[in-house]
Amino acid sequence: MKTRLLAFGFLSPALIAVFFFFLLPVLLTVVFAFTNMSTSTGIMGGAYQINETQMGSLRDTEVSPESIEKLEGAGYLISEAGLAALAEEFGEDTAEELRDDYLGETFAARRDLERVLRNLDDPIRNTRDRKAAADLFVSTVIGERFDTAEDFRAALVETGIDPADHDLLTEFAYTGWTWTTANFSLLAELPSTMRYASNTAFYVVCTLTFNILFGLFLAISTFYLPGRLANTFRAIWFLPRILPPVLYVLMWNWFTWDRGFIATVAGWFGAPQQNWMLHTSTHAWTAVILINGFVGASLGMILFSSAIKAIPTSMLYASEVDGANRWQQVRYIILPQMRWPILFMTSYQTLSLLTSFEYILLATDGGPGRSTEVWALAAYHTALNNYGGNLQYGLGAAYALALVFIGIALSILYLRFFNFKELLSKPRIEQ
Amino acid sequence: MTGTPRIWPLVLILAIFSTPLVIMYLYQIIDSVASPDPGSLIPGELDLSNWRFLWERIDSGRPTIWQVTFNTFLFASTTAFLVTLLSTTAGYALSRLNMPGRPYFLGGLIILHAFPTITLIIAIFIILQALGLFDTLLGIILVKAALELPFGVWIMKGFYDTVPWEIEMAGVQDGASRFRVWWELVMPQVKPGLAALLIISFLSGWSEFVLPLVLAPGSSTQVLSTFMNAVIQDDATADFGLFKAIGMYYSIPVIVIYLIFQKQLMNIYGGGTKG
Amino acid sequence: MELRLEKFTKAFGPVTVIQDMDLTVGSGEMMALLGPSGCGKSTTLFAICGIHKMTGGRLYFGDRDVTSVPAQQRSVGVVFQNYALYPHMTAEQNIGFPLKVMRQPKAEIAKEVQRLADLVQIGDLLDRRPAQLSGGQQQRVALARAMIRKPDVLLLDEPLANLDAKLRLEMRAEIRRIQRETGITAILVTHDQVEAMSMCDRIALMRDGKIVQLDTPERMYADPASQFVAGFLGNPPISFLPARAGEQLAIGQSQVLPRPAGLEVQGDIVLGIRPEHFGPQHGQGLHGEVIFVEPQGREELVDVQLDGGGILRAILPTGDPVKLGDRVNWGVSGGNILAFSTEGVRL
């Protein structure tokens, strides 16, 4: 019992972290994908408000022109609520006088109401006070912010707008996000969806192939090189793996951009100055695949090297005694032993290439002209960073949802790489 | 394997592939202290002006490099500390303690370990805004630590798994509680694991780019990666000398750790772990 | 202190490993749990020390029922096969750890550690770490650590398995000496019958989760309850010979032995004949050919292929002129023939 408490005590901080930053986000990605959340709707739900600038678009809706006119025309209304507020601030007498003479009357402009206030027997003399007093009687809903739908409807009632239009107006005035499946229909319609998908497939297949083949080549070749030479090459190829991505891509930018290495060398032979990374989409793809490929090959080299090291040397010696040459040794001894590491690397890299966009973002940012925009980068651009400024969280989440599903499916597949039975062997102390 | 007859073709192929990288490394260093003339690759005279970001602001809108460095260090070290702390306890519980639902926790751990967390960033972005942690160091520290956690727990569990059961059994027989056995008898055996995890998560935090970019875009929470990226993005003239000097400065801890722990790092990354 | 297991049952999930086992170890007695691997002897040990929970049955130390007492409060000292010393502590800290857990004053701990170190004769090695100690020395440290709490029961789990042959002989005697000197109740788990016979007062021979015989080493050797027991004890091992009981015992197709007194069955049986009970010193009786000679220094082992089928092993003093291929006619000590049914039950 005590051990159980200890176990949960030890585990719970990690569980809390996992809940907040894994389970909840997975759930919320699903939820957000079904909303129209964006910068303009905010994320916390919204209020009810119709602004001057929206009047134009309001005319395009089915709200009747009379209602719209009322909405615009309604200015200042001497209501009991306003009088009560006035009494509180400027005295019972002023309010009483106003009630007797003007209750129920409306004024189109504030100026008119202010004149009335000045001409009372007990006038409000200070200009600023008059302004404040007039504001107490504002009855228009335009520019006004209402926290709940009830408040908004109450205000509509006061302006005397046809109740038939109330529902439409309330819906129109809502500034927060709403539930919708529009994101998915939009994804289905947009031609860019297919392009991002095929870009992603192309990117993953090419980079993965490069990673595995070149990683294997690095691991096997350094295995056969004498110690110091092998270590030098390993050091060169280990660095991409641990250098910060921003710096690593900067070096590539220098290598390929218009005043960088390739441009300079090509310039000696009379080639025009150009950005060799972003010049054409072929160049961009080459750069993207090499940048990611070198990092992946770096990881592959490390993984495969340790797998080769695990092959018993007696096996290699035996094959040499049997007269196998190097190529045969690689083909018949080393490669068969690498089946699991290769499979592991393939599944693992597939997942990470599908979903990571860090290096592409830093190198081409999807360019030129979105030709290297992959799915994950599209999700990022839609929801977190675009030039329009209106970040579409809902649509971005719909993009991400596809990746989340693929991610969950592949990670469950990944479970098979582990000897789960052995993993589950019971703790040997039974308390 | 030594004394091979035809080693040179191999070396040649390797060298050809390695050339771009070597050139990049070389000019990364050269360009930071000496800017060659345009159209030439021969280093000019020694020129430290690229390092001016150390003693003056590159432009008025940016925080000082020291503020940014401090942020980065705080971010990386706190993250590393949190990850290590939580992994140390959770890894032990999963490795050694009896509890209901243990198979599910273990299965979940492996799935999380493989799961590409970056896909969750949109939801995390909104969660942080709702929690009021958006654009704070604390926010990205929590997120980064949580996302690194499955990896850390997995590593620590691996280290605990190698400690002989008999040591724990002996401790229990000697009258010590399970907590005391863990703290006094098992922990000293996994110290190398702790150090490794601390270093790896520090490096990972130090290099992190996307999380601060998305979750803490303000200038007061800038870290070196986003600082450097902003400098590159905003500079119309592509002043690579300046970029590279900042890059050099940025990568110093990485290079130092790499030089000291090269072997250990290769071993750990080679253990089939996440990266 | 007397140790008593009553109807002990242990199951791992759906698999029941031990069913209703009873065992009593007398106060100050040293008992061996002997058996092949997988027989349940280690499971029994883990249940006694509290690392495993008992699925059923009760465990008593003296009159105290400790069935559900956690391992920490059981007062059991354990020596593990790989010693399980704490690698980061010196020998002194290792031995003193149980007392430190009990919050004893430092001076008291130091005194006790010295006393135990003297008992196991490692007084001058106390400041070394386990990695700096030889296997035998580690063993002594482990023993001292197990004993320092003055436990009710001392459990030894294959304590000699990791030692080389010479050290094993030495530690065998050492452990027995320390057990006798302290008078502690002890249980030795081993798969090595020589260890069990040479160190223990009584042996519980286990097979498939059951105790098949519980007896003193001498009686178990001379009077085994089954063919399995007879075969497990004795080095070189006993020879088994199919026979047919009639007027006489028919061996193979052509030879006979006189029927031992007291044997009442007829038909197919199995005879067990130990090497020392077959040879020229027992006169004549069985013809055969020497097919194998293995010199062992002081004595040599000789396998004889009997005419008409069957192989018997003899042990002869070195210097006996027998050679491979010799024809021999050797006798069997009639009173020492063991007879078993074909199912292996002693007759």
Side-chain angles (χ1 to χ4, degrees):
Chain A
M1 202 55 230
K2 258 167 118 182
T3 313
R4 229 172 242 198
L5 277 179
L6 184 69
F8 280 110
F10 270 20
L11 209 51
S12 50
L15 287 180
I16 291 170
V18 163
F19 174 78
F20 271 103
F21 297 105
F22 282 98
L23 299 186
L24 200 58
V26 168
L27 224 73
L28 288 183
T29 305
V30 179
V31 171
F32 293 155
F34 286 94
T35 69
N36 64 350
M37 253 187 222
S38 68
T39 316
S40 55
T41 67
I43 57 166
M44 301 301 279
Y48 295 82
Q49 184 168 15
I50 298 177
N51 289 325
E52 288 286 350
T53 52
Q54 285 175 295
M55 292 313 290
S57 55
L58 187 58
R59 287 200 179 81
D60 298 338
T61 65
E62 287 171 25
V63 178
S64 64
E66 295 80 36
S67 297
I68 295 174
E69 201 174 313
K70 277 232 173 84
L71 210 55
E72 284 180 309
Y76 295 79
L77 172 76
I78 307 301
S79 64
E80 282 297 346
L83 286 167
L86 186 76
E88 201 146 288
E89 283 185 43
F90 297 98
E92 198 67 46
D93 296 342
T94 318
E96 197 59 38
E97 189 183 351
L98 202 60
R99 176 180 292 124
D100 290 347
D101 298 346
Y102 296 99
L103 182 64
E105 268 187 57
T106 59
F107 301 86
R110 183 199 274 144
R111 213 171 338 111
D112 302 333
L113 177 56
E114 279 181 35
R115 192 179 317 119
V116 168
L117 290 172
R118 193 172 61 226
N119 296 337
L120 288 174
D121 292 346
D122 186 9
I124 300 172
R125 292 204 170 78
N126 186 310
T127 322
R128 198 188 303 152
D129 283 352
R130 263 201 314 273
K131 224 176 206 172
D135 279 346
L136 294 174
F137 297 97
V138 161
S139 76
T140 180
V141 288
I142 298 208
E144 195 78 355
R145 185 187 159 91
F146 301 89
D147 287 335
T148 66
E150 284 71 46
D151 290 353
F152 182 74
R153 282 171 189 275
L156 286 183
V157 169
E158 272 191 6
T159 55
I161 289 175
D162 181 7
D165 282 333
H166 284 193
D167 285 349
L168 269 173
L169 279 170
T170 311
E171 194 183 313
F172 182 83
Y174 185 59
T175 62
W177 53 269
T178 51
W179 300 104
T180 172
T181 54
N183 295 324
F184 297 102
S185 40
L186 189 64
L187 280 188
E189 283 166 23
L190 284 177
S192 55
T193 309
M194 262 322 283
R195 212 170 84 219
Y196 297 157
S198 59
N199 275 355
T200 308
F202 177 72
Y203 162 70
V204 170
V205 169
C206 289
T207 315
L208 192 64
T209 314
F210 183 91
N211 283 352
I212 304 284
L213 292 183
F214 196 56
L216 263 177
F217 172 71
L218 283 174
I220 293 174
S221 57
T222 51
F223 176 71
Y224 282 116
L225 290 185
R228 183 172 291 181
L229 208 53
N231 282 340
T232 311
F233 280 118
R234 280 201 197 110
I236 291 174
W237 284 96
F238 184 52
L239 269 175
R241 175 77 191 69
I242 61 162
L243 279 181
V246 182
L247 175 61
Y248 171 71
V249 176
L250 169 72
M251 297 198 297
W252 277 90
N253 287 348
W254 168 80
F255 198 71
T256 53
W257 279 7
D258 22 9
R259 280 166 51 210
F261 182 81
I262 295 181
T264 306
V265 173
W268 297 344
F269 301 99
Q273 278 242 334
Q274 61 178 22
N275 187 324
W276 288 80
M277 184 191 282
L278 297 174
H279 185 55
T280 66
S281 64
T282 317
H283 285 192
W285 273 120
T286 312
V288 162
I289 290 169
L290 284 181
I291 289 173
N292 284 282
F294 275 32
V295 175
S298 176
L299 179 66
M301 173 191 76
I302 297 162
L303 245 161
F304 297 145
S305 284
S306 57
I308 294 180
K309 247 189 251 162
I311 298 175
T313 43
S314 57
M315 235 163 123
L316 295 171
Y317 286 138
S319 72
E320 273 178 21
V321 172
D322 291 344
N325 62 28
R326 277 293 144 76
W327 171 243
Q328 288 167 325
Q329 203 174 54
V330 169
R331 171 76 186 75
Y332 296 109
I333 309 287
I334 294 183
L335 283 183
Q337 301 270 337
M338 306 292 282
R339 260 191 28 225
W340 279 104
I342 291 174
L343 217 62
F344 176 90
M345 180 83 183
T346 308
S347 71
Y348 177 71
Q349 284 273 301
T350 308
L351 256 183
S352 92
L353 286 174
L354 265 179
T355 54
S356 69
F357 53 85
E358 199 170 22
Y359 290 105
I360 305 184
L361 171 69
L362 283 164
T364 66
D365 197 15
R370 301 231 149 181
S371 60
T372 54
E373 182 100 344
V374 293
W375 193 273
L377 192 60
Y380 167 81
H381 277 147
T382 308
L384 301 171
N385 184 356
N386 63 28
Y387 297 112
N390 186 20
L391 305 178
Q392 295 167 286
Y393 309 134
L395 185 58
Y399 271 112
L401 192 60
L403 294 180
V404 170
F405 277 138
I406 295 175
I408 291 175
L410 287 184
S411 351
I412 290 172
L413 210 68
Y414 182 87
L415 258 182
R416 296 187 42 131
F417 287 100
F418 295 88
N419 186 351
F420 208 58
K421 270 225 178 88
E422 187 190 311
L423 204 69
L424 290 187
S425 63
K426 281 257 169 102
R428 285 178 58 197
I429 297 181
E430 296 181 349
Q431 43 167 245
Chain B
M1 303 287 119
T2 52
T4 61
R6 281 179 297 133
I7 175 178
W8 291 111
L10 204 58
V11 175
L12 196 70
I13 299 173
L14 269 176
I16 290 172
F17 271 103
S18 308
T19 312
L21 278 180
V22 174
I23 290 174
M24 287 183 214
Y25 299 153
L26 215 62
Y27 277 92
Q28 163 63 29
I29 299 168
I30 292 173
D31 285 353
S32 70
V33 290
S35 309
D37 298 324
S40 156
L41 290 173
I42 300 148
E45 322 173 0
L46 191 66
D47 174 15
L48 287 180
S49 69
N50 287 331
W51 292 79
R52 65 184 179 275
F53 67 89
L54 286 181
W55 51 84
E56 62 183 40
R57 293 187 189 214
I58 307 170
D59 49 61
S60 53
R62 283 183 213 293
T64 67
I65 189 78
W66 305 113
Q67 173 67 38
V68 177
T69 308
F70 175 76
N71 284 349
T72 317
F73 183 78
L74 195 68
F75 170 63
S77 56
T78 315
T79 306
F81 176 76
L82 264 180
V83 169
T84 310
L85 187 76
L86 298 193
S87 305
T88 305
T89 55
Y92 181 70
L94 287 178
S95 170
R96 288 296 162 94
L97 295 177
N98 259 320
M99 66 183 122
R102 185 165 170 272
Y104 299 101
F105 288 129
L106 282 170
L109 174 66
I110 295 178
I111 292 176
L112 285 185
H113 179 50
F115 185 76
T117 48
I118 200 71
T119 54
L120 302 176
I121 194 156
I122 296 169
I124 291 175
F125 172 83
I126 294 173
I127 290 176
L128 279 199
Q129 294 213 328
L131 291 176
L133 290 173
F134 182 70
D135 205 8
T136 62
L137 273 180
L138 179 65
I140 51 172
I141 286 171
L142 288 180
V143 172
K144 177 72 178 166
L147 299 192
E148 286 280 305
L149 207 51
F151 165 73
V153 175
W154 184 251
I155 290 267
M156 282 317 292
K157 180 187 171 295
F159 275 98
Y160 282 123
D161 285 346
T162 63
V163 176
W165 267 106
E166 281 78 9
I167 286 195
E168 279 191 65
M169 292 178 178
V172 167
Q173 290 309 320
D174 287 345
S177 65
R178 289 304 290 274
F179 181 84
R180 187 161 187 171
V181 166
W182 168 70
W183 181 248
E184 257 184 84
L185 304 181
V186 179
M187 279 288 276
Q189 321 302 325
V190 297
K191 268 188 198 153
L194 280 184
L197 184 56
L198 212 56
I199 291 170
I200 292 181
S201 21
F202 180 84
L203 275 183
S204 171
W206 189 266
S207 303
E208 180 61 49
F209 170 61
V210 171
L211 290 183
L213 178 77
V214 173
L215 304 177
S219 66
S220 64
T221 50
Q222 225 163 30
V223 291
L224 279 166
S225 59
T226 46
F227 173 82
M228 188 169 153
N229 184 56
V231 171
I232 296 173
Q233 296 294 320
D234 298 350
D235 192 316
T237 59
D239 183 356
F240 276 107
L242 172 67
F243 303 162
K244 287 186 173 183
I246 298 177
M248 278 308 283
Y249 172 79
Y250 177 28
S251 59
I252 287 171
V254 180
I255 302 292
V256 168
I257 290 174
Y258 168 68
L259 289 178
I260 301 176
F261 298 107
Q262 187 182 355
K263 245 212 173 102
Q264 290 88 330
L265 281 177
M266 279 214 200
N267 281 339
I268 293 162
Y269 285 126
T273 52
K274 192 168 187 170
Chain C
M1 180 161 304
E2 185 190 75
L3 178 147
R4 205 162 77 251
L5 263 178
E6 282 177 6
K7 293 209 172 297
F8 164 50
T9 300
K10 176 67 193 175
F12 293 105
V15 186
T16 301
V17 183
I18 290 173
Q19 182 90 49
D20 293 334
M21 175 174 144
D22 293 311
L23 178 70
T24 304
V25 184
S27 186
E29 186 183 24
M30 183 141 174
M31 165 82 78
L33 286 182
L34 176 65
S37 61
C39 72
K41 56 190 193 299
S42 290
T43 306
T44 310
L45 178 111
F46 282 140
I48 292 172
C49 63
I51 282 169
H52 283 178
K53 282 179 185 157
M54 292 165 62
T55 311
R58 310 224 66 86
L59 171 65
Y60 298 91
F61 289 174
D63 297 329
R64 181 170 163 236
D65 183 348
V66 296
T67 313
S68 47
V69 174
Q72 285 92 336
Q73 289 147 36
R74 272 198 195 184
S75 187
V76 176
V78 185
V79 175
F80 293 92
Q81 178 172 352
N82 58 9
Y83 321 129
L85 296 180
Y86 311 131
H88 58 293
M89 295 184 183
T90 63
E92 179 170 15
Q93 289 165 327
N94 262 287
I95 300 173
F97 184 73
L99 295 186
K100 192 176 149 210
V101 173
M102 291 166 78
R103 296 170 192 277
Q104 298 237 341
K106 277 216 171 89
E108 184 68 21
I109 297 178
K111 211 180 85 194
E112 277 298 292
V113 169
Q114 197 55 53
R115 185 178 70 78
L116 263 295
D118 290 343
L119 178 71
V120 299
Q121 301 175 341
I122 48 157
D124 50 341
L125 303 173
L126 282 178
D127 52 352
R128 296 209 193 162
R129 283 175 198 278
Q132 300 165 305
L133 296 171
S134 71
Q137 290 163 341
Q138 291 188 34
Q139 171 91 76
R140 288 168 193 264
V141 174
L143 200 56
R145 186 181 65 187
M147 307 269 294
I148 197 165
R149 277 207 305 179
K150 304 199 175 76
D152 296 338
V153 182
L154 178 66
L155 304 179
L156 304 149
D157 184 12
E158 303 269 10
L160 306 175
N162 284 7
L163 298 176
D164 60 48
K166 190 161 163 273
L167 258 176
R168 200 175 298 176
L169 220 61
E170 177 189 323
M171 284 312 294
R172 224 154 74 183
E174 267 304 279
I175 291 175
R176 183 62 165 155
R177 171 183 72 79
I178 292 163
Q179 188 264 333
R180 281 229 169 89
E181 267 177 36
T182 53
I184 190 170
T185 308
I187 295 180
L188 170 76
V189 164
T190 181
H191 65 275
D192 182 345
Q193 45 106 8
V194 179
E195 269 176 36
M197 291 179 72
S198 59
M199 290 168 74
C200 296
D201 300 310
R202 284 196 300 162
I203 297 174
L205 184 58
M206 294 182 69
R207 184 192 197 186
D208 296 339
K210 290 191 182 62
I211 296 179
V212 290
Q213 190 170 0
L214 184 95
D215 227 324
T216 62
E218 299 78 17
R219 293 203 26 191
M220 193 175 275
Y221 184 78
D223 193 13
S226 68
Q227 190 177 348
F228 170 75
V229 177
F232 204 86
L233 293 191
N235 184 26
I238 194 168
S239 312
F240 291 113
L241 205 56
R244 204 177 162 72
E247 289 285 298
Q248 291 181 306
L249 298 174
I251 314 268
Q253 272 141 26
S254 54
Q255 309 205 57
V256 291
L257 279 176
R259 201 181 161 100
L263 184 69
E264 286 171 2
V265 292
Q266 303 286 330
D268 286 335
I269 58 171
V270 175
L271 300 182
I273 300 170
R274 293 202 182 275
E276 61 268 33
H277 299 139
F278 172 62
Q281 72 271 34
H282 300 294
Q284 298 187 327
L286 291 173
H287 299 273
E289 183 186 334
V290 175
I291 55 164
F292 180 71
V293 179
E294 182 183 297
Q296 296 224 313
R298 185 160 39 89
E299 55 218 3
E300 49 197 41
L301 300 182
V302 179
D303 285 2
V304 175
Q305 170 82 56
L306 300 179
D307 297 347
I311 294 175
L312 276 184
R313 177 170 294 155
I315 185 164
L316 304 175
T318 302
D320 198 283
V322 68
K323 295 193 307 294
L324 204 61
D326 282 359
R327 296 281 314 165
V328 295
N329 178 5
W330 287 344
V332 172
S333 162
N336 290 312
I337 295 177
L338 305 170
F340 305 96
S341 73
T342 46
E343 283 83 42
V345 179
R346 178 77 185 279
L347 299 171

